[in-house]
Amino acid sequence: MGKLNDISGGSPVTGGLRRNLVVRAFRLMSTREQLGAFSIVAVSLLSGMLEIGILAMIGPIVYVLFDPESLSTSKVGTFLALWIDLANQTAALGVFAAAIVMLMLVSASVRLLTLYISERHSVACRTRLANEMLEQLVAAPIEWSQRFSTAAKLNLIQVDVSTWRNDFLQNVMACTQSLVLILMPAIAVVAMAPSMGIGAIAVTAALVAGVVGFFRKHIRRSANAVADVRNVAAQRLMQVLAGLREVKLSGNRRYFVDYFATPNRTASALGISARIWAGSPGILIHTMGQIGFLATAFALWATSDNAAGAAATMAIVAVFFARVLPVFNAIGNSLAQLFRSAPIVHSILEVLSELEAVNRAQAEKSTIEPPASWRRIALERVQKTYLDAEHPALAVDSVVFERGKVYGLVGRSGSGKSTLANILAGLVSPTSGRVSVDDVDLASIDLRKWHRSIGYVAQAPFLFDATIVENVTCGEQLDNVRLAQVLEEVQLAAFVAAQPRGLDTHVGERGGRMSGGQIQRVSIARAVYRRPSILIFDEATSALDGETEREIQSVLAARAPERLTLIIAHRINTLKECDEIVVLEDGKVKDRGTFQTLSMRSPEFKAMLAAHVGAPDQSDPKSVSNRLPAVE
């Protein structure tokens, strides 16, 4: 399987519908949604009863036209004579015709009601499950989530949840409804012409079962192939759109268009094949049903001695085929859709099962409240090795960070700086060792509450396509005094004041209506606005010019007794005010001390510092280097 098996680690459905797949898919609905599904089937039952009423009127009409005396002496005629003057042919036909029209109108109204209920039910199911899956994905450990592409997760929530409800469950209910619609007319046919009715039903059922059984394997195989290629196309499209600036500047746009177009064309071609395989059973059933009706009509004509009885029976069989054959056709199409969607539904169930297990395990071990007035965080023999990595990204014996101080982290790319910061933030769990908050193991602390105390600013900031104030507050209660103070601290107040809509200015998708420096200032403002107990800057001021960076960091580096500040520096010169700087090399702590101490004794720190010697003045706004990344 494609995208979903990449997430779940599961395998596709290999033998039609798994034995309990329908039950498990049904249980994904809430109790209210399950009751709604039953109500849809119940309304369909009413529709079936109306169908049998319409069918039951055909026989008396034929007898009134051709043999009214036989009708008058029959049990049915005796009952109808209590209400209708059967001797008056015109009046009787008028009553029967009016009754049929009324039943048809009521039946149409019930069908419209069924459609309305079904659509409401579909929206409720899809919205609720998509929200729950997103909540589960957000709650899951970030390492678990990062194993899978954004395209896979996007398809899981938006496309595959819709497949679960609109393709799988809808067709389960459609099959149930179809069986009801077949059952009611079949009862009437069997009652009026037992041998003919039973034979017609048996032959039709065998026909549908044989046709669906023949096409099942081809339908499932084509559905899996489409899902595989569709995932590749979606992932490539997201990559091209995410790198739009580089694509435009490459001068080779055709290459990137083809990069997406190739799997997209393949998916479209495979989609045609899949739709043909899925649609073939219905066409074949319909054609064979028409042939069966002609054969039945010829047999009745050839074997019957009573013209009126033969005409009535043929009328009943004709209505049966007219009413029931499309329903059998619908069953064939519904089963085809079930086989197409079964692998996706199976994978959704596997994803949810794994997510629930991961989140439950995390919740069970992370139950302790974070210490309200903690003073220190210590890493003791902490090692972190990522999945499939040969060497640990971080391996430190002992590092202590004290609340109220400002720390710098420096090192070459891949030295473990971000890994250490992510471990402190509780975003990544160490492979071994212990991280303690005072004397409490961080692994046992409720991470949801711990995360609320963290302010994290990444090198590539994340902004909503929303207003400035919405991006800063991010769901926190609006405090205008605190907001104004924060905007001043990050030097964003003048920019906001210059905008016609002020704080209500939309930043655009990913901050596309702002400069890189303004985007980073908004991201920094968001972190500071939360009043965190730990403030982490992961090269977060790299898009700012040297002078602005120093001014902002001088504010952020101000000692606050309630806050621990950790700065992963883009420019080492900006760390002079830190209480302590930790030098990392190959995941290990090579040295730690003040800026002055390290600049005299640490070879690694001296080498990084030397890279800045002779560079243009970073505070000079005309300097080109203030917009280029410096060597760490």
Side-chain angles (χ1 to χ4, degrees):
M1 184 61 190
K3 59 186 181 308
L4 281 176
N5 276 344
D6 291 340
I7 292 181
S8 68
S11 58
V13 178
T14 56
L17 297 181
R18 291 274 178 98
R19 183 179 303 173
N20 63 343
L21 185 62
V22 173
V23 176
R24 293 176 65 200
F26 184 79
R27 288 177 178 172
L28 277 182
M29 292 189 288
S30 67
T31 302
R32 183 176 181 178
E33 291 163 358
Q34 291 173 358
L35 292 174
F38 284 123
S39 70
I40 294 172
V41 175
V43 174
S44 298
L45 178 60
L46 175 59
S47 178
M49 294 174 66
L50 292 170
E51 291 293 326
I52 193 172
I54 294 170
L55 183 59
M57 300 299 294
I58 302 300
I61 290 176
V62 174
Y63 272 101
V64 167
L65 289 171
F66 296 102
D67 194 359
E69 290 185 8
S70 297
L71 178 62
S72 299
T73 58
S74 67
K75 292 181 179 180
V76 174
T78 303
F79 174 77
L80 292 175
L82 298 174
W83 312 94
I84 305 171
D85 183 8
L86 298 178
N88 187 334
Q89 189 180 50
T90 302
L93 287 175
V95 171
F96 288 140
I100 288 179
V101 170
M102 182 187 69
L103 289 174
M104 287 181 173
L105 291 175
V106 174
S107 177
S109 299
V110 172
R111 288 176 180 273
L112 285 174
L113 177 62
T114 304
L115 178 62
Y116 172 75
I117 296 175
S118 181
E119 288 300 316
R120 287 285 301 270
H121 185 264
S122 173
V123 170
C125 288
R126 288 184 286 112
T127 302
R128 192 263 315 156
L129 185 59
N131 292 344
E132 288 185 3
M133 294 198 75
L134 178 58
E135 186 174 355
Q136 291 269 26
L137 284 169
V138 171
I142 196 166
E143 289 181 272
W144 189 95
S145 179
Q146 287 178 339
R147 286 158 46 196
F148 320 110
S149 69
T150 302
K153 288 177 281 193
L154 184 66
N155 280 328
L156 174 67
I157 293 174
Q158 289 193 316
V159 178
D160 299 315
V161 166
S162 180
T163 298
W164 159 73
R165 173 54 183 83
N166 290 348
D167 290 344
F168 192 83
L169 285 181
Q170 184 66 31
N171 283 292
V172 169
M173 290 188 289
C175 284
T176 305
Q177 296 165 17
S178 298
L179 291 174
V180 173
L181 293 176
I182 290 171
L183 179 62
M184 294 302 177
I187 292 174
V189 171
V190 171
M192 296 178 184
S195 58
M196 185 63 66
I198 293 173
I201 293 170
V203 171
T204 308
L207 171 69
V208 172
V211 170
V212 171
F214 174 79
F215 284 96
R216 181 181 63 184
K217 182 185 297 184
H218 300 286
I219 293 170
R220 187 177 64 250
R221 185 185 299 122
S222 61
N224 287 338
V226 171
D228 288 341
V229 183
R230 184 188 67 179
N231 179 49
V232 174
Q235 188 167 349
R236 290 189 176 186
L237 177 60
M238 293 190 69
Q239 291 171 353
V240 171
L241 294 177
L244 197 57
R245 182 182 290 106
E246 289 79 1
V247 170
K248 292 176 70 67
L249 294 175
S250 69
N252 194 8
R253 300 176 187 176
R254 188 72 252 171
Y255 168 80
F256 293 98
V257 172
D258 290 340
Y259 181 68
F260 159 72
T262 300
N264 191 49
R265 280 194 298 266
T266 303
S268 299
L270 290 173
I272 295 173
S273 176
R275 286 188 290 274
I276 291 174
W277 281 115
S280 296
I283 295 173
L284 188 56
I285 290 170
H286 183 75
T287 303
M288 296 178 72
Q290 290 175 323
I291 295 172
F293 168 69
L294 292 175
T296 303
F298 179 79
L300 284 171
W301 173 79
T303 59
S304 178
D305 295 329
N306 186 333
T313 304
M314 285 181 64
I316 293 171
V317 173
V319 173
F320 173 79
F321 273 97
R323 292 281 181 177
V324 174
L325 190 59
V327 179
F328 271 111
N329 187 23
I331 288 180
N333 290 332
S334 294
L335 289 174
Q337 291 295 330
L338 284 175
F339 291 125
R340 287 180 63 188
S341 57
I344 290 177
V345 174
H346 173 73
S347 292
I348 288 176
L349 291 165
E350 292 297 309
V351 170
L352 280 173
S353 178
E354 186 174 344
L355 269 173
E356 289 170 358
V358 168
N359 290 336
R360 183 170 56 251
Q362 179 173 275
E364 288 174 352
K365 71 177 183 179
S366 305
T367 58
I368 299 176
E369 291 279 332
S373 56
W374 61 269
R375 300 312 309 164
R376 62 196 294 274
I377 300 178
L379 281 71
E380 303 167 10
R381 296 183 296 278
V382 167
Q383 186 175 108
K384 177 60 184 178
T385 304
Y386 290 103
L387 186 66
D388 298 330
E390 296 182 2
H391 305 287
L394 188 70
V396 298
D397 292 328
S398 177
V399 180
V400 177
F401 298 97
E402 296 182 15
R403 193 169 184 173
K405 292 187 177 182
V406 179
Y407 294 87
L409 279 182
V410 297
R412 295 186 178 89
S413 177
S415 61
K417 303 186 299 295
S418 294
T419 297
L420 192 153
N422 286 332
I423 288 177
L424 289 181
L427 295 174
V428 172
S429 299
T431 308
S432 61
R434 171 185 168 94
V435 180
S436 58
V437 183
D438 286 343
D439 295 324
V440 181
D441 192 341
L442 180 59
S444 64
I445 291 176
D446 187 336
L447 289 180
R448 291 175 301 175
K449 295 181 179 178
W450 179 252
H451 290 159
R452 291 188 63 83
S453 68
I454 308 292
Y456 197 110
V457 187
Q459 184 176 12
F462 160 70
L463 295 186
F464 291 103
D465 185 5
T467 64
I468 293 175
V469 65
E470 288 171 329
N471 271 284
V472 173
T473 57
C474 259
E476 296 281 329
Q477 185 176 1
L478 177 61
D479 182 331
N480 289 311
V481 175
R482 189 190 347 162
L483 179 62
Q485 180 182 355
V486 168
L487 294 179
E488 285 288 347
E489 289 179 354
V490 302
Q491 297 190 11
L492 200 60
F495 168 78
V496 171
Q499 304 307 306
R501 302 190 63 180
L503 288 169
D504 292 325
T505 300
H506 274 263
V507 303
E509 184 179 7
R510 298 183 182 181
R513 299 176 185 175
M514 307 176 76
S515 69
Q518 290 162 351
I519 292 172
Q520 284 193 322
R521 287 186 181 94
V522 172
S523 183
I524 294 169
R526 176 197 299 157
V528 176
Y529 182 82
R530 299 179 62 185
R531 292 180 176 171
S533 58
I534 299 179
L535 190 56
I536 299 174
F537 292 91
D538 192 350
E539 299 189 8
T541 55
S542 58
L544 305 178
D545 61 80
E547 181 179 2
T548 302
E549 180 180 34
R550 279 192 292 273
E551 291 174 353
I552 291 178
Q553 287 200 351
S554 67
V555 174
L556 300 178
R559 307 307 184 270
E562 75 285 353
R563 188 175 73 201
L564 184 161
T565 302
L566 186 67
I567 302 172
I568 299 176
H570 181 74
R571 301 182 181 95
I572 296 179
N573 282 328
T574 61
L575 299 178
K576 292 181 178 180
E577 303 301 320
C578 289
D579 294 295
E580 190 173 52
I581 299 173
V582 178
V583 182
L584 292 172
E585 181 76 20
D586 296 328
K588 299 180 176 62
V589 176
K590 301 298 291 185
D591 207 342
R592 57 186 301 173
T594 64
F595 187 94
Q596 185 176 2
T597 300
L598 292 174
S599 62
M600 291 187 295
R601 77 180 185 201
S602 170
E604 294 82 9
F605 191 80
K606 287 180 180 179
M608 288 183 282
L609 191 59
H612 295 275
V613 175
D617 183 4
Q618 301 294 336
S619 63
D620 183 0
K622 297 180 181 180
S623 172
V624 176
S625 67
N626 63 21
R627 294 184 295 276
L628 297 176
V631 179
E632 289 188 288

